[in-house]
Amino acid sequence: MSAQLLNVLKKVPVPIFGTAATALKFGAAKASKAPIAAPWALPAGAGALWFVWPAVDEEWKASIFGGGSEEEAAAKVELSEEAQEKVEKAYVVDAGHVELSDEEKRVMKAVASGDFSDLEKDWDNFMLRAANPEEDDDDDDDDDDDDDDGFGMLIFGIKAN
């Protein structure tokens, strides 16, 4: 019977190995050397869990290892009505109390209609102030000058020109 099985395995194609018989021989050869690597099983498993465990779903962890979910733990906390009201209103933003100046109202109305000319003036003024073309922003030259006065120059007794 094993001869018939081996003949069938020789005909079954397997990627990388060619046939199932070659794959079976390769696997048997590697399995015979498994006891040599056995001491590394625990460190390899710990390393794999170290990377995989944070990606595991919390619900799956709770279903396998027991314990309640976060929702059940949160349900056990009881708050007074005053505290509950504060929690519910903690992140509510009330935009109705903001008063815009007449200038801001005019700009908002222009932007709503698609006219950005007032803002473009502000953007151009900011750009001129932020990027002065006459000012040299290249700090590399300054860094090179600082290196000449560095600690290494004092140790070796080299003077900067």
Side-chain angles (χ1 to χ4, degrees), residues 19-89:
T19 65
T22 309
L24 185 64
K25 287 179 186 176
F26 179 79
K30 291 298 175 186
S32 68
K33 300 196 184 219
I36 295 171
W40 288 99
L42 183 64
L49 277 176
W50 185 305
F51 287 107
V52 172
W53 192 254
V56 176
D57 186 32
E58 294 295 328
E59 291 180 15
W60 183 85
K61 290 178 189 176
S63 69
I64 298 298
F65 299 109
S69 67
E70 294 176 12
E71 295 163 357
E72 292 174 1
K76 293 178 184 177
V77 176
E78 294 184 23
L79 298 174
S80 66
E81 288 187 27
E82 180 182 347
Q84 185 68 29
E85 183 179 334
K86 286 182 180 180
V87 168
E88 290 173 1
K89 293 183 178 179

Side-chain angles (χ1 to χ4, degrees), residues 34-137:
I36 295 171
W40 288 99
L42 183 64
L49 277 176
W50 185 305
F51 287 107
V52 172
W53 192 254
V56 176
D57 186 32
E58 294 295 328
E59 291 180 15
W60 183 85
K61 290 178 189 176
S63 69
I64 298 298
F65 299 109
S69 67
E70 294 176 12
E71 295 163 357
E72 292 174 1
K76 293 178 184 177
V77 176
E78 294 184 23
L79 298 174
S80 66
E81 288 187 27
E82 180 182 347
Q84 185 68 29
E85 183 179 334
K86 286 182 180 180
V87 168
E88 290 173 1
K89 293 183 178 179
Y91 296 104
V92 175
V93 177
D94 190 14
H97 295 293
V98 177
E99 289 293 325
L100 298 176
S101 66
D102 292 336
E103 174 73 17
E104 291 171 333
K105 288 177 184 177
R106 186 181 57 76
V107 170
M108 291 296 288
K109 189 174 184 181
V111 168
S113 67
D115 180 19
F116 294 95
S117 59
D118 288 336
L119 293 177
E120 287 173 0
K121 292 175 190 173
D122 292 339
W123 294 334
D124 290 340
N125 288 336
F126 173 78
M127 190 64 182
L128 287 174
R129 285 181 287 159
N132 187 354
E134 297 168 359
E135 183 180 316
D136 183 21
D137 290 337

